[in-house]
Amino acid sequence: MNGGQPSSYLRIIRFDKVGSTNDYAFALGRAGNKEITVVLAKCQTKGRGRLGRSWVSPNSKGIYVSFLFRPKRTLQEIFLLGIVVALATVKSLKGILPLTIKWPNDIVIGNKKIGGVLVETESFNKIPEFVIVGLGINVNSEFIDLPEKATSIFLQTGNKYPLNDLFKTILKEVIAFYDRFKLNDYKNIIDEVKNYLDTLHRRVLVYTHKDKYEGIAVDIDSYGALLVRDYLGDIVRIDLGEVKNLVYDNNLS
Ligand code: BTN
């Protein structure tokens, strides 16, 4: 059991080039590798994003990393891990840029995306065996490297940053937050997330796999699910979805 014990094992596997660090970490999970195993690549040829999208991963211009965790928690609690990694990242980069989180775990500046998190789990009888949390951050990418609506730390600051130093800072923060997660410190984690969440108190359109909801994003609950007040005044709880921020989108030319 790894209950509330702080993480004591750490193995980092580095690649110059890999298909997807999430795929590699997933295979390691299936092969029984321990937490915390970290897979880091300079470049990915098949980087994946949420909702079947691809994640553009040019060589040595971003951080492409996946964490293998075995948290012994329910699927509902595991959803929080994506938010935890986004929060750890935003806090680590605070001295460089005032990044925020767009629910559930996009890392943004204004209406531009700078990073994202992909959570994948392997479950047996609905009990998670392991979780892979993949993190991609556009660090030194230039305009031509990036898809529309994306940006990078370089494009925002005009400075290029050493990838390994940023990775080490983020890793330290991720481990610290993961240890708090294992101590069930969910309430404080959620309170901290709210300080960085740019989705709250805005008019949003949320797409789930079967519906869409329009209303005001009023809060997130203790599992990180988004609470939206619709125009009838009812509160809808959304645990998985994609948010369109209506105010920003109206402002786009
Ligand atoms: C998203 O916002 O859509 C999530 C993007 C996640 C990208 C990272 S890069 C490292 C890891 N490996 C992958 O193939 N995807 C994640």
Side-chain angles (χ1 to χ4, degrees):
M1 278 290 284
N2 58 8
Q5 295 292 317
S7 310
S8 54
Y9 174 88
L10 179 68
R11 179 180 173 212
I12 303 175
I13 302 172
R14 292 171 188 264
F15 285 99
D16 281 343
K17 192 197 259 192
V18 75
S20 152
T21 56
N22 258 44
D23 291 346
Y24 197 90
F26 208 93
L28 293 178
R30 284 204 167 143
N33 283 254
K34 291 199 282 183
E35 72 168 13
I36 299 173
T37 299
V38 181
V39 180
L40 178 71
K42 286 189 182 154
C43 144
Q44 298 184 114
T45 53
K46 286 187 185 142
R48 294 185 291 108
R50 290 176 66 224
L51 308 169
R53 295 180 187 134
S54 61
W55 187 262
V56 177
S57 315
N59 193 18
S60 301
K61 295 208 174 164
I63 293 174
Y64 319 116
V65 60
S66 298
F67 303 92
L68 162 64
F69 299 120
R70 295 188 182 272
K72 310 253 190 293
R73 293 292 186 279
T74 62
L75 274 175
Q76 195 175 34
E77 290 167 302
I78 273 171
F79 177 72
L80 261 181
L81 279 178
I83 297 181
V84 158
V85 168
L87 175 61
T89 306
V90 164
K91 282 193 78 176
S92 316
L93 301 176
K94 209 171 161 178
I96 300 179
L97 267 179
L99 298 171
T100 56
I101 300 170
K102 180 173 169 230
W103 187 89
N105 41 39
D106 282 352
I107 299 168
V108 298
I109 181 144
N111 61 347
K112 294 214 173 262
K113 184 157 162 171
I114 222 165
V117 174
L118 177 66
V119 182
E120 297 180 308
T121 53
E122 172 97 318
S123 302
F124 184 68
N125 285 341
K126 295 204 172 147
I127 299 172
E129 302 240 304
F130 63 84
V131 188
I132 307 299
V133 185
L135 168 71
I137 311 165
N138 305 325
V139 179
N140 295 328
S141 342
E142 308 192 23
F143 189 74
I144 56 158
D145 298 317
L146 294 170
E148 208 193 330
K149 278 199 170 184
T151 189
S152 69
I153 298 180
F154 166 67
L155 288 175
Q156 294 295 318
T157 61
N159 299 320
K160 298 229 168 155
Y161 288 86
L163 295 173
N164 206 37
D165 291 357
L166 292 192
F167 164 70
K168 281 197 263 176
T169 315
I170 292 169
L171 177 64
K172 221 165 126 192
E173 198 76 40
V174 167
I175 294 172
F177 268 105
Y178 183 57
D179 287 342
R180 285 176 55 187
F181 170 87
K182 285 200 294 184
L183 289 168
N184 303 328
D185 189 20
Y186 304 154
K187 183 176 177 315
N188 290 322
I189 293 174
I190 288 290
D191 283 347
E192 239 181 286
V193 170
K194 287 182 193 174
N195 295 330
Y196 293 95
L197 205 61
D198 95 333
T199 309
L200 294 186
H201 317 299
R202 292 185 186 279
R203 205 154 70 79
V204 290
L205 186 58
V206 189
Y207 296 90
T208 66
H209 64 288
K210 52 180 175 68
D211 281 307
K212 66 176 182 190
Y213 302 93
E214 192 172 332
I216 309 289
V218 284
D219 208 352
I220 50 170
D221 72 9
S222 53
Y223 293 109
L226 187 67
L227 305 178
V228 174
R229 189 171 52 237
D230 68 18
Y231 295 128
L232 297 172
D234 294 329
I235 300 288
V236 187
R237 178 182 190 276
I238 300 161
D239 51 13
L240 271 182
E242 176 87 345
V243 170
K244 213 174 171 148
N245 197 320
L246 291 175
V247 175
Y248 279 146
D249 291 343
N250 288 346
N251 286 344
L252 287 175
S253 52

